[in-house]
Amino acid sequence: MLIAGKCPPEPDALAAAADRGFEVVELYLEKDHLESVAECVAHVEASDVAAVSVHTPHVSLAEKEYLHRTDQLAVALDAFVVFHSGHLNHVDTPELETLDLTAAYGYENKTGVSVRHLRHMVLKPGHGLALDVAHLFMAEADYLTAIEYLLTEYGDRIGLLHLCDSTPVQDGLAFGAGDIDIGAVCRLVDRHFDGTVVLEVMPDDQRAALETVTEHQAEFELSPTRSVAGN
């Protein structure tokens, strides 16, 4: 499992992510960042972190040029594209699939969307998923079973995970500030997922989140039941 921070493609923010202990990050993009794709690439390449994924700006289908620019950035950095769920709904996937993107990509599950909806609108049609744990927590009371189901049944379609704490009405929280059992989620991810986990907490909380996930990984590696649990 690769653990990533999250920051905009700006020199100071990239340097801060490296100082927090991250080797890779997901790039948080606003439209202004994409006025010069080449400048974004230069900033990342000059930094001490690599971009493993890029998050599309908060744009609608009416602003497709920014989706194409995100794709160009991802190709240049060999990164995965996350379709942001704020303004793009899963019912938009047929039109989004006509964009002819070059980079690998996945649709972030929208806040409160159920596994049933994801299965029929994203996964069964063969699309990729960027699994946001907090968004799924808001939708499913038995969120741990839902996470395990998605990872075991559709793991080959899940490009990365977003992880933060959440209440039923607010996500983006520091670990321990919400109601998610972060330890249980980490154990599930360790057992069933080999990809990238992006810590989607605020910058000041990212170092602590990285330490928490690393501690849980160490506990899992030392567990005598690890080989059994992984089967």
Side-chain angles (χ1 to χ4, degrees):
M1 181 171 68
L2 186 63
I3 305 171
K6 188 162 184 173
C7 67
E10 300 165 3
D12 289 349
L14 293 162
D19 288 344
R20 294 183 192 110
F22 293 100
E23 296 181 359
V24 296
V25 296
E26 177 173 288
L27 298 180
Y28 170 82
L29 299 176
E30 296 183 359
K31 291 191 288 186
D32 288 350
H33 294 131
L34 294 171
E35 294 305 317
S36 174
V37 171
E39 186 174 274
C40 281
V41 172
H43 288 163
V44 174
E45 291 182 341
S47 75
D48 292 326
V49 295
V52 70
S53 55
V54 295
H55 202 287
T56 62
H58 297 204
V59 296
S60 68
L61 276 167
E63 298 178 286
K64 293 178 184 178
E65 68 269 22
Y66 290 104
L67 303 179
H68 283 293
R69 291 179 192 178
T70 301
D71 181 54
Q72 293 167 16
L73 177 62
V75 170
L77 297 172
D78 192 24
F80 182 86
V81 174
V82 177
F83 274 109
H84 184 261
S85 64
H87 296 287
L88 300 173
N89 291 293
H90 301 310
V91 293
D92 297 324
T93 52
E95 188 169 353
L96 289 165
E97 289 294 316
T98 68
L99 294 177
D100 295 326
L101 302 183
T102 303
Y105 61 88
Y107 296 102
E108 180 183 43
N109 51 303
K110 199 170 182 68
T111 304
V113 164
S114 67
V115 168
R116 180 186 182 193
H117 182 81
L118 288 175
R119 187 169 63 244
H120 288 283
M121 300 302 294
V122 177
L123 296 166
K124 278 192 172 182
H127 308 319
L129 176 67
L131 178 57
D132 189 300
V133 170
H135 292 180
L136 190 66
F137 171 80
M138 292 178 169
E140 300 284 355
D142 191 358
Y143 66 99
L144 293 174
T145 297
I147 292 168
E148 186 168 27
Y149 168 76
L150 290 172
L151 292 179
T152 55
E153 294 297 321
Y154 296 101
D156 59 334
R157 309 262 185 79
I158 298 175
L160 57 77
L161 270 72
H162 285 167
L163 181 59
C164 65
D165 211 337
S166 178
T167 70
V169 297
Q170 182 182 6
D171 66 348
L173 301 178
F175 290 180
D179 302 320
I180 292 177
D181 186 336
I182 298 296
V185 171
C186 287
R187 288 190 289 274
L188 283 176
V189 172
D190 267 320
R191 288 175 189 147
H192 303 299
F193 186 67
D194 292 327
T196 300
V197 176
V198 179
L199 304 183
E200 272 208 323
V201 297
M202 297 301 290
D204 289 345
D205 299 317
Q206 288 186 14
R207 186 190 298 275
L210 176 60
E211 291 172 354
T212 297
V213 174
T214 301
E215 289 170 3
H216 284 302
Q217 279 187 301
E219 291 171 4
F220 187 71
E221 289 293 334
L222 293 172
S223 171
T225 62
R226 184 184 192 284
S227 60
V228 177
N231 290 336

